[in-house]
Amino acid sequence: DEPFSGLDPVNQAILEERGFSASHYHTLLSVSAITGMVFNLLGGLVSRYVSLRLILSTALGMLACSLAAFPYVNSVPQLYSYALVLGASGGLITVLFFAIWGYAYGPSHLGHIQGAAQMLTVLASAAGPMLVLTIALGGMLLGEDAIRTLVATTLPRLLPPTSSFAAALAEGVD
């Protein structure tokens, strides 16, 4: 099994701590992926009619709530609820990542802007293992995997100010 993200092995360990099996973990991945694809389509449709800031704040709120709730998932219905909310937020955030550049900067420099965004995404992905290592060290000091996830739930709270900063920068682009 190849993990889908750097935190997936931690997610599986948390589920095992809660008494879930490996098949529950794979169900979580499947449900969240399918839900994410559905919300990619819905997010693309809704983004034509609703403020991107509203969609972003909703998606980030959903993400933060799902991550904060994850260590407390104790039943299969709760697991499905978590997977649905996580997948929906991920689908919306993915759409916004690709849609925002044209709205914010216009079409004239869109290729350069998307290239820079992709470069920053790759750099952030490269920094991901360091984040996981930091969380792992925190877990070694603090205890079980759920503690590490609680530490990681503070990260989505940094995204709204970051997106507001990017929007402010977009205001200044010709």
Side-chain angles (χ1 to χ4, degrees):
D1 283 318
E2 181 115 9
F4 289 96
S5 75
L7 291 178
D8 279 344
V10 175
N11 291 346
Q12 186 171 7
I14 293 170
L15 288 176
E16 288 173 0
E17 286 177 0
R18 301 282 180 243
F20 293 102
S21 66
S23 68
H24 286 114
Y25 169 69
H26 294 292
T27 300
L28 166 78
L29 294 177
S30 300
V31 169
S32 62
I34 291 168
T35 305
M37 286 188 268
V38 169
F39 273 80
N40 281 157
L41 295 172
L42 293 175
L45 177 66
V46 170
S47 70
R48 296 286 197 187
Y49 307 104
V50 177
S51 161
L52 295 180
R53 289 181 189 200
L54 176 62
I55 297 170
L56 179 63
S57 63
T58 301
L60 291 176
M62 292 167 58
L63 176 62
C65 289
S66 69
L67 291 175
F70 184 56
Y72 305 104
V73 170
N74 292 316
S75 67
V76 173
Q78 289 174 345
L79 183 65
Y80 278 103
S81 297
Y82 166 73
L84 290 170
V85 174
L86 182 68
S89 67
L92 292 173
I93 290 169
T94 300
V95 166
L96 290 172
F97 177 79
F98 291 103
I100 189 65
W101 309 117
Y103 285 101
Y105 298 103
S108 60
H109 301 288
L110 194 54
H112 295 295
I113 293 164
Q114 285 182 325
Q118 290 291 14
M119 179 191 66
L120 291 174
T121 301
V122 170
L123 290 174
S125 296
M130 293 305 296
L131 171 65
V132 172
L133 177 62
T134 302
I135 293 170
L137 290 174
M140 288 170 50
L141 297 173
L142 299 174
E144 61 184 35
D145 290 324
I147 299 297
R148 288 183 250 162
T149 301
L150 285 173
V151 171
T153 59
T154 59
L155 294 176
R157 294 183 183 154
L158 299 174
L159 296 176
T162 305
S163 63
S164 296
F165 177 71
L169 287 176
E171 302 280 330
V173 173
D174 298 345

